[in-house]
Each structure stands twice: as C-alpha cells, then as structure tokens.
Amino acid sequence: MKNGTRDKRWLRRKVISISMIVILTVFPFAGYQAFANGDVATQTDATAKAVEGPVTTGLVIDGYYGEWSQYPASDITYSSNNGYSVHKGQLAVENGRLYVHFSMNDLYTSQMQFQFWKIVVDGKECVLNILPVNADGSINWSGQMYGLGEGIYRNFGVFAGYYTDIDGDVAFTVYDSAHTETGKGDEIEFSISLDKLAAYLGINIDQGATITVSNPNIGAQGVTITGTPTGPWAGTAMAMALATGGVCAFRRKKKERI
C-alpha cells in the first residue's frame, strides 16, 4: 500500500510538472501583435526580406510569411491541370481576429487582384474591400492599388460592405513587378476583428463558427475554417496530451515492474 501511495503521488507530481512546463512555454508566444494606427509604411524592399524575414511563433501581419507554414493550405484554381498554376489560401483565428493568407503561383503573369473578397460566416455573407488608407485609417480614394513595384505594402485597410471599418491590418507583397514566369508570385496577408465583423453582420461568432473566405478574381474555390481555436486553448490541449502520455508511460513501466 505504501508503494502504491508513493507511485500515485509521483504520478500526480509528474503530470502537473509536465503540464506547467508546456503551458509556460506555449502561452507567452500565443499573443497577437497589431500594426499600430498611424504607423503606416507604404513600401519596403521585398525582393529578399519577404522570403528570408523573421518567422514568428504567432501570426503577425508584416509581409513575412514563414509562420504560415504551420497552418494547412487549400488549393485555389480555375480547374487547371498544371500543378504549378495553383494558388494557395490559408485561414487562422487567434485572439479574436481572423487571419487570411493567399499566395499566387509563380506562373501568374499579372499583379494579384486583391481589392474584392467574399466572406461567409455560418451562411451569412458580405463583401470585404481592401483599399488604400491614409495614416489615420481613412480611405485614400486616390491611393495606388495597381502597377505596384517590388516591395511590401502596408498602407491598406479592410472594409465590410459599403466601407464599414472592421479594424483591418494588411500586408501585400510584390516580388517581381514585371510578373514574369520566372519570378515569384504576389502574396497577401490580412487580419480583421471578428467582433467588428459580427457587429456588421448582426450575428454572434462563437467557437463553433464556420468561416469561408474567397477571392473571385483568383479562383472559384474558397478557404474554410471551422471553429475558432485560440493560442491558449491550443496550449492547454497540448499540455493535456503530454500529461496523458506521461500517465500511459508510467502505467507501462509499472506493469513491467510487476
């Protein structure tokens, strides 16, 4: 009985220790870094930096796309049989914001048309407009959207329907201004506030929501995400999984001793 009591105490302490280590490791990096209002950069060198830029542990709208490798991608195409002519789309939700990432295939010989998007949340849909903005976030109706040179462009906002601000943050990258078949295709990432989108649509967006985003100028397919897990929840799930693994390992060892 004494050995059994000691084993149980050891097991509880082991599970708690593993869980705390994982939680303390994951949680500090689950946050979202917003692009500050008024801190608008219009263009930076994208030729090398956007490819070799920093990879963050959480999603950050900055024109560096390495962190998206941690998320599943969907093919976007007009039924082309050429695998090289498939665009890619990704969605994620972190800290009350929806993140969107689309990349054009390298054979696409025009600038990405990124002004119009469609979003559907549990059957309720609206148009999203990406438009040039001034430093104060207001729409810059004379701002340039086409014929952009190589660079990362941050001077855009996201607006629902007839230009309702939904706290959008945008980075659009042009790698090859000539858009030759030997150059890299354009990329875009943006995020919006789910609370502001819900207010515009007149619905509640809970953790079980199904969200689909598409761009009719890029392809017929949309990208869908079901459920809105946040960083901390994912961290807790990981801790529980590791703790369960520790219990199984302990039980196996105990049986071997017997």
Side-chain angles (χ1 to χ4, degrees), residues 8 11 26 29 32 37 64 76 83-84 113 127 137 162 168 182 214:
K8 289 180 180 179
L11 173 61
V26 173
F29 301 105
Y32 153 77
N37 291 332
Y64 303 107
I76 309 296
Y84 291 102
Q113 298 185 51
V127 171
Y162 289 103
T182 57
S214 60

Side-chain angles (χ1 to χ4, degrees), residues 4 7 26 67 72 100 137 156 162 174 180 182-183 187 201 211 222 244:
D7 287 342
V26 173
E67 64 265 32
V100 180
F156 294 102
Y162 289 103
V174 177
T180 61
T182 57
E187 285 190 76
L201 294 174
I211 303 173
T244 303

Side-chain angles (χ1 to χ4, degrees), residues 18-233:
I18 294 173
S19 300
M20 290 302 297
I21 290 171
V22 174
I23 291 173
L24 291 174
T25 301
V26 173
F27 278 19
F29 301 105
Y32 153 77
Q33 298 180 20
F35 185 65
N37 291 332
D39 185 18
V40 177
T42 56
Q43 182 179 3
T44 56
D45 178 22
T47 305
K49 289 183 179 179
V51 178
E52 302 173 357
V55 177
T56 59
T57 53
L59 290 172
V60 180
I61 304 300
D62 56 5
Y64 303 107
Y65 304 96
E67 64 265 32
W68 281 103
S69 63
Q70 306 168 46
Y71 298 85
S74 298
D75 291 345
I76 309 296
T77 178
Y78 278 113
S79 302
S80 171
N81 293 323
N82 187 341
Y84 291 102
S85 64
V86 174
H87 313 306
K88 296 292 184 179
Q90 295 171 282
L91 298 181
V93 172
E94 288 186 8
N95 299 318
R97 296 185 69 85
L98 173 68
Y99 288 80
V100 180
H101 171 232
F102 275 62
S103 58
M104 305 300 288
N105 69 73
D106 295 344
L107 299 181
Y108 195 74
T109 56
S110 299
Q111 181 182 302
M112 175 195 284
Q113 298 185 51
F114 61 92
Q115 179 177 351
F116 295 110
W117 303 76
K118 185 174 79 170
I119 185 167
V120 182
V121 182
D122 288 341
K124 189 86 171 182
E125 67 178 67
C126 73
V127 171
L128 298 181
N129 297 281
I130 294 182
L131 298 168
V133 294
N134 300 304
D136 62 359
S138 61
I139 297 175
N140 178 5
W141 293 105
S142 61
Q144 185 179 3
M145 293 195 68
Y146 304 103
L148 299 174
E150 296 176 7
I152 300 172
Y153 295 83
R154 300 298 318 281
N155 56 319
F156 294 102
V158 186
F159 303 87
Y162 289 103
Y163 314 121
T164 297
D165 187 0
I166 51 175
D167 191 19
D169 191 10
V170 183
F172 175 63
T173 304
V174 177
Y175 299 99
D176 175 13
S177 59
H179 293 94
T180 61
E181 292 187 0
T182 57
K184 181 173 172 55
D186 300 339
E187 285 190 76
I188 190 170
E189 61 180 352
F190 64 89
S191 70
I192 59 175
S193 164
L194 284 175
D195 286 342
K196 292 195 174 184
L197 177 64
Y200 176 82
L201 294 174
I203 62 174
N204 292 320
I205 301 178
D206 58 23
Q207 276 82 25
T210 297
I211 303 173
T212 300
V213 176
S214 60
N215 183 322
N217 292 310
I218 294 176
Q221 297 86 358
V223 183
T224 298
I225 184 172
T226 300
T228 55
T230 63
W233 291 356

